[in-house]
Amino acid sequence: MVFWEGYVSDETMGTFAPIVVYWLYAGFYQILPPLDQYRLHTRKEEEKKNLVSLASVVKGVVIQQLVQIVAAHLLFLLTSTTAASEVVIQPSVPLQIVQIILAMFVMDTWQYFVHRYMHQNKFLYRHVHSQHHRLVVPQAIGALYNHPLEGLLLDTVGGAISFLASGMTARTGVIFFCFATAKTVDDHCGLWLPGNIFHLFFANNSAYHDIHHQLPGTKYNYSQPFFPLWDKLLGTHMPYVLVKRAEGGYEAKLMKY
């Protein structure tokens, strides 16, 4: 039993709930006070380095999410094996957990190799992936600020493959996609907040991804959004140390550079 049962289908929730989560969680970070004591970059640095306006970021995210809605609708339409009136037998909770973990590794694998290739291919970087790196200082609301082609290949196709490979139902997919969305937003929040649950359980976090957005770190820390496994296996892992700035906040410093 889930709270939306009897009101909307699992497929509808799987399509729209991750988008709602994105704007609620990113919006929460957007309306927070400056929190200079927890920032990974100063506000002055953010204003100077970032090359795109907030309005353009929001527009870019909305475009990606419109594509995401269409793709999710098609995915659920093609994979549904029951009539609308039939009840889908949900797997046990332990099996759902296994499916979610499997989907996490599949998504990490897809995103690592596509993301890395977009850096190594000069044409794709210049004309596609560089749009995301216009936010040199990551922002939560810009977590999905990508070129439409990148959004389709990296996130939408990657999500579909993860869903299909894990064998999860649409209901389990709601949980997985909402969690993946929240994790992606948090990785771009630009803050090192005490007690952040994502920092407690994942070494791939806001500081880890911040290294990738720094100019010396763009060839490292491709892994996203969950584990740094592929970076460590394939030699693209860049360790870092968090250093307190005199004026407040932290700086993620590369240890090898």
Side-chain angles (χ1 to χ4, degrees), residues 34 38 40 50 54 61 76 90-91 95 99-101 105 111 120 127 129 138 153 166 181-182 184 204 225 232 239 256:
Y38 301 119
L40 294 171
N50 284 356
L54 177 62
V61 173
F76 290 130
Q90 301 298 326
L95 179 56
Q99 289 173 331
I100 289 172
I101 293 172
F105 279 104
Q111 293 213 3
Q120 294 175 332
H127 297 285
H129 187 56
L153 291 177
S166 66
T181 298
T184 300
N204 190 341
K232 290 186 175 182
K256 291 181 179 178

Side-chain angles (χ1 to χ4, degrees), residues 18-173:
I19 295 173
V20 173
V21 168
Y22 184 93
W23 291 110
L24 286 177
Y25 197 32
F28 163 75
Y29 275 119
Q30 192 69 21
I31 64 174
L32 283 176
L35 298 176
D36 291 330
Q37 69 272 36
Y38 301 119
R39 291 176 66 94
L40 294 171
H41 296 269
T42 64
R43 281 179 285 167
K44 183 178 180 181
E45 195 178 2
E46 181 177 328
E47 293 169 4
K48 180 181 178 181
K49 290 185 175 182
N50 284 356
L51 307 174
V52 61
S53 68
L54 177 62
S56 295
V57 169
V58 171
K59 178 183 176 182
V61 173
V62 169
I63 290 172
Q64 174 164 334
Q65 290 177 333
L66 289 174
V67 175
Q68 182 180 316
I69 288 170
V70 174
H73 178 71
L74 290 174
L75 174 67
F76 290 130
L77 189 67
L78 293 172
T79 57
S80 178
T81 57
T82 58
S85 59
E86 294 182 35
V87 176
V88 177
I89 304 300
Q90 301 298 326
S92 65
V93 172
L95 179 56
Q96 290 183 66
I97 292 172
V98 170
Q99 289 173 331
I100 289 172
I101 293 172
L102 175 59
M104 290 165 73
F105 279 104
V106 172
M107 179 173 282
D108 270 5
T109 301
W110 175 265
Q111 293 213 3
Y112 175 86
F113 287 102
V114 174
H115 185 196
R116 182 173 178 175
Y117 184 68
M118 284 190 173
H119 275 269
Q120 294 175 332
N121 184 296
K122 292 181 180 180
F123 178 86
L124 285 177
Y125 184 81
R126 184 180 301 113
H127 297 285
V128 179
H129 187 56
S130 63
Q131 177 170 322
H132 183 71
H133 280 272
R134 290 176 190 169
L135 290 173
V136 179
V137 176
Q139 298 173 341
I141 208 162
L144 292 183
Y145 174 65
N146 300 310
H147 187 282
L149 179 60
E150 176 176 353
L152 177 64
L153 291 177
L154 197 67
D155 298 311
T156 306
V157 174
I161 292 173
S162 303
F163 176 82
L164 294 171
S166 66
M168 62 176 59
T169 63
R171 182 167 298 182
T172 307

